[in-house]
Amino acid sequence: MTELNQSAKNERLKLSAGFISNLGIGLIAAGVFAPGISLLSTTPVLSKTQFLIVGLGCICVAFLLHLIGRGFLRQVR
């Protein structure tokens, strides 16, 4: 297999960082926005306490994913 030049390596790192960061965005959408909108309905999926616990957990994990993505970007030369 041929060795990738530095530009190709940088692009791969940027794509990986974007993917990881987008996973965090999806986690916020699934764990915060969807249950939050559900609270407005007559039969919410989670209670308010459960919503706060799940929401804070998802935000924390999303932030960690964002930091991992930034770690990939630190390797760009």
Side-chain angles (χ1 to χ4, degrees), residues 11-29:
E11 277 304 309
R12 188 165 54 177
L13 286 169
K14 288 191 279 185
L15 286 170
S16 296
F19 177 76
I20 296 292
S21 187
N22 287 335
L23 283 176
I25 292 169
L27 186 62
I28 288 175

Side-chain angles (χ1 to χ4, degrees), residues 16-63:
S16 296
F19 177 76
I20 296 292
S21 187
N22 287 335
L23 283 176
I25 292 169
L27 186 62
I28 288 175
V32 177
F33 295 136
I37 292 172
S38 154
L39 286 175
L40 301 174
S41 73
T42 57
T43 56
V45 175
L46 300 173
S47 70
K48 289 182 182 181
T49 306
Q50 290 171 328
F51 168 70
L52 288 175
I53 293 169
V54 169
L56 287 175
C58 287
I59 289 172
C60 290
V61 173
F63 182 70

